[in-house]
Amino acid sequence: MSSSYYINQFRRNVTDKYTIYNSLFAALPFSGIANVGALLPILSQACQDEYKAGKNPVQIINDFFRQHTEVRTERDKLDRLFKFVQYIERQVVLFDAIEDAAFDTVNNIQGSGSLKALYNEAVFAGKTQALKNKLKKFRIRVVLTAHPTQFYPGSVLGIIHDMSESIARNDFHTINEYIQQLGITPFFNKKQPTPYDEALNLMWYLENILYHSIGNIYNSIERDIFDHQYDSDNPFIELGFWPGGDRDGNPFVNAATTIKVAEALRSAITVCYYRDIRKLKRRLSFAGVDILIQELEAILYENVFRPTEQNRVHLTDLQSRLIQIRDLVKEKHHSLFLQRLNSLIHKVKIFGTHFATIDIRQDSRIHTQVLLSIHETLKQKTGNALLPENYTSLDEADRLNILAGLQGNINPALFEPGIAKDTLESIYAIQTIQNNNGEAGCNRYVISNCQSSVNVMEVYALFRLCGWKQDQMPVDIVPLFETIDDLQAAEQIMDRLYTHSLYANHLTGRKMHQTIMLGFSDGTKDGGYLQANWSIYTAKENLTAISRKYNIKARFFDGRGGPPSRGGGKTNKFYASLGNNIENEEIQLTIQGQTITSNFGTIQSSQYNLEQLLSAGISNELFADTRIQLSQHDRFLMEELGRISHQTYQQFKEHPLFLTYMQLFSPLNYYSKSNIASRPAKRGSGGGLRFEDLRAIPFVGSWSQLKQNVPGFFGVGTALQQMKEKGYWEDIKAMFRNVLFFRTLVDNSMMSMLKSFFPLTEYIKDDPQYGPVWKMVKDEFDLTEKMVLELADASILMEDDLPGRASIQMRDHIVLPLLTIQQYALHELRKPEISDTEKGVYEKLITRSMFGIINAARNSA
């Protein structure tokens, strides 16, 4: 259907309903709320009108209170502002629920990218057998991360879910009750969450959404494409999990936490199975079957409510019992309710007893530090040196040979509490989890900041020092290449590893598969938007070539964030655009924060987005012969665009006021004070803030809250303009029309720009010190907007996605007063005469304003 149809559906089912249900907030019977509900629309309108008139946030807030309230003291003003913040937070939740309820009316569920459309395309092209063959080996892995951009606690997620269902039914009375519930439900943590808390929060999605949506997709493929004749072990979709295992820069994650999270995951999936068995029991009431069902129910009950080492159910036992029940139903009871039983069997096949695979992640520099610490401790306590004294000064080949010879069974108890002890305990913990939850429970070790083959072999050596046998190491060691330099060096690093006899032997045990992670987030932070994406694309091509040279299957794991600047946005289009020179056996990607809520917040949206990913990866290979690939001239154009944009971004990044500009005018310094995450906002423990230690989330998120979105567009306009001046404009326009990869980059940059709003910070241009920085950003934004609109032959940003554009604009409208309040508080903090007490209140206001802004943006960090 046409874009106009879906924008009309959006207006009818989202915009109009929000207007109706939002009016209920004004009648909430809680202290101070009614008055706020009456005044907030006035403040919202004032923000829209007065930014157009050139006023700044301080003027807007002060004028509002002077003209529309009796409030005159700063204390009363702040009290009212905090109430506005609470109110707007709940408006965002209401909008989320309404948009979720309207998902199937504003999206073409069975359209392009769905499994149904994929199957129909395969039938039309005479490629149904090719589709089946591809499905037998292709899979996607969605990895939920511990990144601190998911603000909704489980209680609020439940309200959104339940309210969406009521809105879909137009159940006005129940909706009103949920709105009242929102009024008194806390939205934020009073204390910093632990890594275990983060894990439990994310498990809400596993149990309530992904368990069902992934099961539905499997059933659909097995039924509609394979006609119930599916004979492969491939589960199509797998889940990964970082909370409790991601140690990179998080001092609060340890081995005990990892094991505890693994147990929680096992318990969660057992609960899901127990619920399904209870439902099946009501249908499978046949002679003989009923007894087997009751036995299995009792076993699962014990595992849920009275788990012990002795009664732990194992995957093989669970599967054999279900198959026994299935055989009996088929043989003696006419296959009645067989599909419901098969659905549970499929889920057990997908989720096992682990639910999601915990990944361990640590920075490469830590592993070097740990090995040196082990060396010193063993030398002192046993007299046996582990490494040569000049280890760190040796060349790469010598260090690889030394690492290859290390083995043992080191007892972590020899070490004092610290990073060395915990690293060793973490490696032993992987073995414990595999024993309890199966190998799939924890079988990957990700090395952040991987810069050499030594970084990989150091991890291999640590496993060998913890007793893992050379030919019995069921763990994938995953290098993560992030910076532009590391991406360029990745091919050479993997070549050294592939030709090292010990590591080659390890890969033989891993069925000649090598997972390689590529970091969009830090890549963009380091090199800018265009250069990062092009560097990752070419790195994948080079890594595919070097892997194929040694008969190794490369599996690429993309470290994507929420916004387009960090690899988010229209992700499925990226995977559909990859050429034949990039290995395409799996799609693996991280999902985080609000992106989990927006893409996987309901069963329907989750199923839709997972199907889009599956279809993108499969169609990329299946129909590659019908799609235009990058030509050599296209590559030249991309190289030049990347180079120019990189230079432009580097010049801005190297500006002496770059970091202080962010610290003064954005909430960069307050991410760590928001109690939204267990880990610090930066790596390292030093007091000062260095750019290289700054995490991608607060970096990108701060630009987003500043409504300038630098990481998503800066350098793009300059690159396009310079290439146009060199006479390549028609070539670039042709590439935009014909090459999906480039078009997706531009489309996602448009999304970043649409989410920008420069009138919010226009006051900065008059600052004698920071005005030139603001103008530099605004000039590049204006240029980029002009160039991409000309390139796309469009009059407005996101012209080809009107419902998506309307959603962004509606959300920005809701939080405009919140953004204004945040800028007001930041301004007050910059006053030299501010007292410590006042400073604390304004900092709290800034922190509180972050929640609603980020939740509304859905992919801002």
Side-chain angles (χ1 to χ4, degrees), residues 609-645:
N609 285 296
L610 288 170
E611 284 191 20
Q612 291 284 319
L613 282 173
L614 263 176
S615 179
I618 292 170
S619 61
N620 176 44
E621 178 177 314
L622 214 60
F623 307 111
D625 54 338
T626 65
R627 295 177 180 171
I628 297 176
Q629 303 293 317
L630 280 164
S631 67
Q632 285 303 117
H633 187 57
D634 292 332
R635 290 177 177 278
F636 163 75
L637 295 175
M638 287 302 306
E639 287 285 349
E640 286 300 291
L641 287 168
R643 181 185 61 80
I644 298 167
S645 68

Side-chain angles (χ1 to χ4, degrees), residues 559-760:
R560 294 181 177 273
S565 59
R566 296 185 59 218
K570 300 173 182 179
T571 310
N572 59 300
K573 290 190 176 182
F574 271 105
Y575 292 112
S577 71
L578 300 182
N580 298 330
N581 296 328
I582 295 177
E583 198 67 75
N584 185 38
E585 190 173 85
E586 290 190 16
I587 288 176
Q588 300 185 24
L589 73 164
T590 55
I591 306 287
Q592 68 175 53
Q594 324 101 302
T595 310
I596 299 174
T597 304
S598 59
N599 289 359
F600 305 97
T602 68
I603 293 173
Q604 194 170 50
S605 64
S606 172
Q607 189 166 333
Y608 172 83
N609 285 296
L610 288 170
E611 284 191 20
Q612 291 284 319
L613 282 173
L614 263 176
S615 179
I618 292 170
S619 61
N620 176 44
E621 178 177 314
L622 214 60
F623 307 111
D625 54 338
T626 65
R627 295 177 180 171
I628 297 176
Q629 303 293 317
L630 280 164
S631 67
Q632 285 303 117
H633 187 57
D634 292 332
R635 290 177 177 278
F636 163 75
L637 295 175
M638 287 302 306
E639 287 285 349
E640 286 300 291
L641 287 168
R643 181 185 61 80
I644 298 167
S645 68
H646 184 227
Q647 287 178 349
T648 306
Y649 175 73
Q650 288 299 115
Q651 288 171 1
F652 177 50
K653 197 174 73 173
E654 291 166 3
H655 192 287
L657 297 178
F658 178 85
L659 205 51
T660 51
Y661 176 84
M662 292 182 67
Q663 290 178 289
L664 280 175
F665 299 106
S666 84
L668 177 65
N669 291 338
Y670 301 96
Y671 270 82
S672 59
K673 299 179 180 181
S674 60
N675 287 336
I676 58 173
S678 67
R679 70 179 183 175
K682 69 182 184 71
R683 294 175 173 89
S685 57
L689 180 63
R690 300 186 307 163
F691 180 81
E692 55 269 31
D693 290 334
L694 183 61
R695 291 187 178 279
I697 288 170
F699 174 73
V700 174
S702 295
W703 284 115
S704 175
Q705 298 223 354
L706 198 53
K707 299 303 282 183
Q708 294 182 7
N709 281 326
V710 159
F713 71 82
F714 203 93
V716 176
T718 297
L720 289 172
Q721 183 187 49
Q722 288 192 20
M723 290 298 282
K724 182 179 182 180
E725 291 170 352
K726 292 177 180 179
Y728 292 110
W729 190 239
E730 291 303 317
D731 296 355
I732 290 174
K733 288 175 72 174
M735 184 167 66
F736 178 80
R737 289 192 304 269
N738 298 324
V739 178
L740 182 58
F741 172 74
F742 180 58
R743 187 162 68 251
T744 302
L745 283 178
V746 174
D747 286 348
N748 279 345
S749 188
M750 286 189 186
M751 183 187 293
S752 290
M753 286 187 285
L754 185 63
K755 291 186 175 186
S756 299
F757 182 69
F758 281 87
L760 177 73

Side-chain angles (χ1 to χ4, degrees), residues 63-337:
D63 288 352
F64 167 78
F65 279 105
R66 186 177 60 256
Q67 296 172 15
H68 301 288
T69 75
E70 299 299 320
V71 173
R72 293 296 177 263
T73 70
E74 190 67 13
R75 180 175 178 177
D76 289 342
K77 184 190 295 185
L78 287 168
D79 183 61
R80 188 64 60 89
L81 289 175
F82 274 109
K83 285 188 168 65
F84 283 147
V85 170
Q86 292 173 322
Y87 197 97
I88 296 168
E89 285 175 340
R90 285 151 178 80
Q91 286 182 312
V92 172
V93 171
L94 174 64
F95 190 82
D96 283 345
I98 291 171
E99 202 165 41
D100 285 346
F103 188 86
D104 61 340
T105 64
V106 299
N107 292 279
N108 189 356
I109 302 296
Q110 301 296 333
S112 177
S114 68
L115 286 174
K116 182 177 180 179
L118 176 67
Y119 180 69
N120 289 339
E121 188 177 3
V123 171
F124 182 78
K127 293 187 175 183
T128 51
Q129 189 57 50
L131 172 61
K132 292 178 181 180
N133 293 341
K134 183 64 177 176
L135 277 167
K136 287 181 179 181
K137 60 183 181 180
F138 182 81
R139 68 183 68 180
I140 62 175
R141 179 185 289 239
V142 173
V143 181
L144 306 188
T145 75
H147 292 321
T149 52
Q150 173 48 264
F151 294 94
Y152 293 144
S155 56
V156 176
L157 291 172
I159 294 172
I160 295 174
H161 180 271
D162 296 342
M163 188 185 290
S164 295
E165 293 184 344
S166 296
I167 290 169
R169 299 192 305 269
N170 292 314
D171 184 351
F172 191 84
H173 174 73
T174 306
I175 294 165
N176 190 34
E177 288 183 334
Y178 288 143
I179 286 175
Q180 292 185 50
Q181 183 184 359
L182 273 179
I184 53 176
T185 298
F187 268 49
F188 64 97
N189 302 310
K190 293 184 178 179
K191 63 179 182 178
Q192 188 176 28
T194 66
Y196 185 66
D197 294 333
E198 290 175 330
L200 293 181
N201 285 338
L202 278 185
M203 282 182 207
W204 187 93
Y205 293 96
L206 298 183
E207 294 182 69
N208 294 283
I209 306 297
L210 291 163
Y211 176 76
H212 302 287
S213 61
I214 293 174
N216 291 344
I217 290 173
Y218 189 105
N219 292 340
S220 175
I221 294 173
E222 192 264 352
R223 179 188 65 242
D224 300 332
I225 298 179
F226 286 92
D227 194 24
H228 303 296
Q229 302 299 315
Y230 184 57
D231 58 357
S232 172
D233 289 331
N234 183 36
F236 310 126
I237 303 171
E238 296 176 323
L239 291 174
F241 206 70
W242 275 18
D246 183 7
R247 287 156 169 73
D248 180 22
N250 191 337
F252 306 110
V253 175
N254 56 35
T257 301
T258 307
I259 292 174
K260 190 177 180 181
V261 169
E263 284 299 314
L265 285 166
R266 179 187 173 87
S267 176
I269 191 59
T270 307
V271 168
C272 291
Y273 295 154
Y274 177 69
R275 289 171 179 161
D276 277 359
I277 281 291
R278 298 252 319 158
K279 293 175 185 175
L280 273 171
K281 182 182 174 183
R282 297 172 64 181
R283 302 281 80 84
L284 301 182
S285 53
F286 325 131
V289 174
D290 56 345
I291 296 173
L292 295 176
I293 286 281
Q294 288 172 13
E295 289 176 355
L296 184 52
E297 180 192 14
I299 291 170
L300 292 173
Y301 179 90
E302 292 296 318
N303 273 258
V304 171
F305 298 105
R306 290 192 288 265
T308 65
E309 188 70 33
Q310 290 70 35
N311 69 13
R312 188 187 300 273
V313 65
H314 294 283
L315 178 59
T316 52
D317 181 43
L318 186 57
Q319 288 176 319
S320 64
R321 287 176 181 275
L322 286 169
I323 290 171
Q324 184 183 5
I325 294 169
R326 183 178 65 183
D327 291 344
L328 192 55
V329 169
K330 290 170 67 175
E331 293 169 8
K332 296 189 177 181
H333 301 291
H334 315 290
S335 296
L336 195 57
F337 301 118

Side-chain angles (χ1 to χ4, degrees), residues 760-786:
L760 177 73
T761 54
E762 192 167 355
Y763 68 92
I764 303 174
K765 74 177 182 181
D766 298 322
D767 186 288
Q769 188 174 14
Y770 293 98
V773 181
W774 185 90
K775 190 174 185 304
M776 195 183 304
V777 178
K778 183 62 164 60
D779 287 348
E780 183 65 23
F781 175 88
D782 290 341
L783 176 61
T784 304
E785 183 180 35
K786 173 179 174 290

Side-chain angles (χ1 to χ4, degrees), residues 3-14:
S3 180
S4 60
Y5 170 82
Y6 287 107
I7 188 60
N8 287 332
Q9 289 292 97
F10 183 89
R11 289 168 182 153
R12 182 181 301 114
N13 293 290
V14 179

